[in-house]
């Protein structure tokens, strides 16, 4: 990426709340026209990082620039360069989609005709024209998220920041959001995305930073992170918990990896080797030899839990809750209202 200007740069970002250190020296770089995903569980510090970069919070230490503008020295200038879609859709529930977008355009001083045309363009782009004259309070979660993202694009900013844009959406709505985001990036937009979903980061991001307790604990592409977590997983559900030891023995011999056992003692997971399909066949042959009855078996891609187990030794849901992010979430809910 030599020669490509950086649209987001952060160095040593630190944010403390009494005894909680939400960020502990976070460094980020996002080149123009690229997507960086901040991947981590609730409480990792993702939302705090977003708030610092978008001028909603002032870091205690460190520096940051967005589109060449210093976040601390010129916050107003930064706001003119970014579009932000937070965890909670910030739309006026009593206004229609069209009225919401026109209002945002007027706030950006576009002028009434320009704001109206921009609203119509965005409604069409986000497949919301059919609902344009309905109050936002009647929208589904996916429709509200699309409207919120459309609002972030009214001023056509060069940098978009999306804080967990698909959390809580159903599968169809999530896929629709992914399509919208891919269209934005193909048009040259620079994107910072926070997510709890490795699959989402895999599909959308050029690069991924994994965060845990305010620190970047890993960086790389999705493929690089998967390689560090052992690639595909073999998942098995056996019929009888009494066969667990035999099943673990077979999985260990084939995969040469540790075997995770579910709470009920019948769900087993192990990292596959170089060829997941070949390892799976050998496991099934071993089960037949050991007369282990299988109810379900398959290969799956690594999850966020797999990444955290490999990098930190604990699962994502075991990470301590970040009180600072929790308090910030309540603030964002109030702003969204």
């Amino acid at each position: 990426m030599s020669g490509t200007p950086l649209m987001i740069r952060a160095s040593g970002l630190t944010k403390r709340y009494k005894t909680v250190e939400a960020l502990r020296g976070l460094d980020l770089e996002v080149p123009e026209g690229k997507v960086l995903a901040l991947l981590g569980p609730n409480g990792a510090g993702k939302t705090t990082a977003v708030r610092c970069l978008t001028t909603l919070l002032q870091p205690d230490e460190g520096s940051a620039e967005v589109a060449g503008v210093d976040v601390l020295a010129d916050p107003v200038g930064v706001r003119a360069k970014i579009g932000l879609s937070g965890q909670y859709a910030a739309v006026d529930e009593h206004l229609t989609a069209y009225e919401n977008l026109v209002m945002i355009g007027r706030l950006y001083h576009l002028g009434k005709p320009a704001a109206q045309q921009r609203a119509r363009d965005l409604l069409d782009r986000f497949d919301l024209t059919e609902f344009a004259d309905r109050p936002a309070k009647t929208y589904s979660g996916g429709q509200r998220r699309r409207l919120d993202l459309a609002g972030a694009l009214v001023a056509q900013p060069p940098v978009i920041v999306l804080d967990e844009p698909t959390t809580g959406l159903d599968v169809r709505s999530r896929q629709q959001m992914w399509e919208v985001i891919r269209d934005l990036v193909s048009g040259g937009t620079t994107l910072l995305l926070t997510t709890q979903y490795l699959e989402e980061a895999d599909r959308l991001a050029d690069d991924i930073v994994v965060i845990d307790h305010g620190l970047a604990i890993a960086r790389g592409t999705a493929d690089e992170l998967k390689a560090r977590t052992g690639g595909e997983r073999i998942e098995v559900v056996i019929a009888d918990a009494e066969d667990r030891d035999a099943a673990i023995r077979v999985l260990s011999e084939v995969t040469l990896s540790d075997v995770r056992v579910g709470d009920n003692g019948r769900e087993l997971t192990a990292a596959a080797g170089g060829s997941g399909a070949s390892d799976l066949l050998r496991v099934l042959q071993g089960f037949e030899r050991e007369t282990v009855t299988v109810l379900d078996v398959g290969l799956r891609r690594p999850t966020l839990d797999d990444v955290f187990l490999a990098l930190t030794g604990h699962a994502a849901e075991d990470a301590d809750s970040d009180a600072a992010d929790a308090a910030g979430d309540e603030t964002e809910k109030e702003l969204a209202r």
Side-chain angles (χ1 to χ4, degrees), residues 125 176-189:
R125 181 177 186 179
Q176 288 177 331
M177 284 296 293
W178 288 348
E179 290 174 6
V180 168
I181 292 169
R182 278 193 288 262
D183 286 344
L184 288 175
V185 176
S186 67
T189 300

Side-chain angles (χ1 to χ4, degrees), residues 21-329:
E21 197 166 24
L23 294 177
R24 297 190 286 165
L26 183 65
D27 299 331
L28 298 173
E29 290 186 352
V30 190
E32 185 177 24
K34 299 297 181 180
V35 181
L36 175 68
L38 298 184
L39 180 66
N42 283 329
K46 306 186 303 298
T47 295
T48 299
V50 162
R51 292 192 178 109
C52 288
L53 290 170
T54 56
T55 76
L56 296 176
L57 283 178
Q58 184 168 329
D60 296 313
E61 296 176 20
S63 61
E65 293 181 357
V66 176
V69 182
D70 191 291
V71 171
L72 295 177
D74 188 7
V76 174
V78 169
R79 291 170 200 150
K81 300 285 188 179
I82 63 173
L84 170 64
S85 180
Q87 290 184 28
Y88 306 97
V91 299
D92 189 316
E93 295 186 346
H94 301 287
L95 298 181
T96 66
Y98 177 75
E99 290 168 341
N100 265 284
L101 296 178
V102 170
M103 177 185 67
I104 294 171
R106 298 301 301 274
L107 290 173
Y108 274 107
H109 306 291
L110 293 185
K112 187 175 181 179
Q116 290 174 332
Q117 184 58 52
R118 183 64 176 154
R120 287 190 289 267
D121 292 343
L122 288 168
L123 289 169
D124 181 63
R125 181 177 186 179
F126 285 83
D127 196 23
L128 289 169
T129 302
E130 179 183 353
F131 316 103
D133 297 322
R134 280 173 37 190
K137 64 183 177 182
T138 67
Y139 289 9
S140 69
Q143 291 162 353
R144 288 169 61 88
R145 290 302 287 167
R146 294 206 304 275
L147 176 58
D148 188 57
L149 181 52
L153 299 180
V154 167
Q156 303 184 69
V159 177
I160 301 292
V161 181
L162 305 180
D163 194 8
E164 300 193 16
T166 65
T167 297
L169 297 186
D170 57 49
V171 173
R172 182 173 179 274
S173 296
R174 181 173 293 137
Q175 290 174 340
Q176 288 177 331
M177 284 296 293
W178 288 348
E179 290 174 6
V180 168
I181 292 169
R182 278 193 288 262
D183 286 344
L184 288 175
V185 176
S186 67
T189 300
T190 302
L191 180 64
L192 177 65
L193 166 77
T194 78
T195 181
Q196 299 180 53
Y197 306 120
L198 182 59
E199 180 188 11
E200 185 161 87
D202 186 2
R203 291 194 180 213
L204 299 175
D206 298 292
D207 206 13
I208 299 171
V209 173
V210 183
I211 297 182
D212 187 30
H213 294 99
L215 283 174
I217 61 173
R219 303 169 191 266
T221 65
D223 287 341
E224 289 168 346
L225 289 177
K226 289 174 192 173
R228 294 181 64 174
T229 62
E232 294 177 308
R233 263 53 181 163
I234 296 176
E235 283 191 342
V236 178
V237 180
I238 58 176
D240 193 336
E242 292 184 359
D243 292 330
R244 181 176 60 245
D245 291 343
I248 291 174
R249 184 168 59 252
V250 170
L251 280 165
S252 298
E253 290 173 354
V254 171
T255 65
L256 302 179
S257 67
D258 293 333
V259 179
R260 293 173 60 188
V261 181
D263 293 338
N264 63 9
R266 297 189 296 110
E267 297 175 358
L268 311 176
T269 305
S275 172
S278 176
D279 280 0
L280 181 58
L281 178 59
R282 291 169 58 202
V283 164
L284 291 175
Q285 291 170 339
F287 284 171
E288 184 177 5
R289 185 176 62 250
E290 297 285 344
T291 65
V292 175
T293 302
V294 177
L295 295 180
D296 192 18
V297 63
L299 285 173
R300 68 164 173 80
R301 305 172 81 179
T303 65
L304 177 59
D305 271 355
D306 297 322
V307 171
F308 267 74
L309 280 170
L311 297 174
T312 70
H314 64 76
E317 68 264 23
D318 295 333
D320 293 338
S321 175
D322 185 336
D325 267 6
D329 286 346

